[in-house]
Amino acid sequence: MNIRVFDNEAQAGQAAALVIAAQIVKKPDSVIGLATGGTPVLTYQDLARLTKSGILDWDRVTTFNLDEYLGLAGDHEQSFRAFMVKNLFSKVNIKPDAIHIPDGLAKDPEAESLAYERSINTRGGIDLQLLGLGRTGHIGFNEPDSLFSTRTHVVDLTADTISANARFFANPSDVPRQAMTMGIGTIMQAREILMLVTGAEKARAVRGMVCNPVDPQCPGSVLQLHANVTVFLDRPAATAMYHCQ
Ligand code: GLP
């Protein structure tokens, strides 16, 4: 695990954008895994800026998002698809059919999950996966105690994740209780992983991820077993990891 601590959230977010940009420049037909949540917003702003200034071309890029709420249509304001359109896809020249996000309204979520996995494999797997870290240590929506071998599947969200994500909804009771997420096995198959974590409320999860042995109670800790992981932190997120004993 290659860990870098930046002075602030903006610097960490910009650095993450540069890693993604470099991947696209190096391999114009890259398959990029993307994340939602508050953390990557600055990264997406920067990617949009680099694209506008002519540095980045998304014409041959394919993307797969980590997850989507079950029960929300793609055009629902709080769906992860709507988030991605607003923050990135409407600002770059990616082809609509190169965008992949699980369908939150799929009639058969199990079949949708299998099809999502097949789609990733058909496109040769993910070159670079961007990840955030939940307060519970979750990656994607793989909550504590998830099996490390899981592929894309339906999950029940924990009370902590529901309360963390309630800030995006008018009413906390509107937060969906289930989601479809790439599994830990899917994430670990990416050739390279870039994790971005900012804010003091993530310090405990960061500590669990980097200081403690690999443990399903902190799903992010599985990244210790991946050969090509970079973690970008801001100072507040890094505070608890300096005392690993
Ligand atoms: C969300 C998403 C994750 C994200 C994490 C952190 O619920 N499913 O992919 O990385 O939780 O979110 P945030 O960046 O808003 O803290």
Side-chain angles (χ1 to χ4, degrees), residues 1-6 133 197 200 202-212 231-245:
M1 228 184 234
N2 177 17
I3 302 174
R4 238 188 110 180
V5 181
F6 293 85
L133 185 68
V197 194
K202 302 287 177 65
R204 232 179 108 236
V206 169
R207 183 186 164 87
M209 179 175 75
V210 305
C211 293
N212 300 342
V231 181
F232 285 170
L233 305 169
D234 66 356
R235 285 200 184 285
T239 44
M241 72 168 196
Y242 293 116
H243 314 284
C244 271
Q245 283 79 17

Side-chain angles (χ1 to χ4, degrees), residues 64 110-123 125 149-153 181-187 189:
F64 284 90
E110 303 302 334
E112 168 73 6
S113 300
L114 278 174
Y116 203 67
E117 281 292 320
R118 265 200 306 275
S119 209
I120 294 172
N121 291 331
T122 305
R123 281 156 188 84
S149 56
T150 46
R151 317 301 306 193
T152 302
H153 64 302
T181 181
M182 283 186 199
I184 293 181
T186 322
I187 292 168
Q189 225 181 17

Side-chain angles (χ1 to χ4, degrees), residues 7 14 17 51 57 64-65 75 102 107 112 147 152 164 185 215 227 236:
D7 279 344
Q14 278 175 7
T51 308
D57 181 5
F64 284 90
N65 264 79
D75 58 0
K107 283 206 177 60
E112 168 73 6
L147 289 175
T152 302
D215 179 355

Side-chain angles (χ1 to χ4, degrees), residues 121-143:
N121 291 331
T122 305
R123 281 156 188 84
I126 291 169
D127 292 304
L128 174 64
Q129 175 69 54
L130 177 65
L131 286 183
L133 185 68
R135 293 192 311 208
T136 60
H138 74 224
I139 50 178
F141 268 134
N142 295 282
E143 300 282 17

Side-chain angles (χ1 to χ4, degrees), residues 35-40 66-67 80 132-134 138 140-141 161 165 167-168 202:
T36 51
T39 312
L66 279 167
D67 43 23
F80 288 162
L133 185 68
H138 74 224
F141 268 134
T161 296
N165 288 0
R167 68 192 195 275
F168 298 113
K202 302 287 177 65

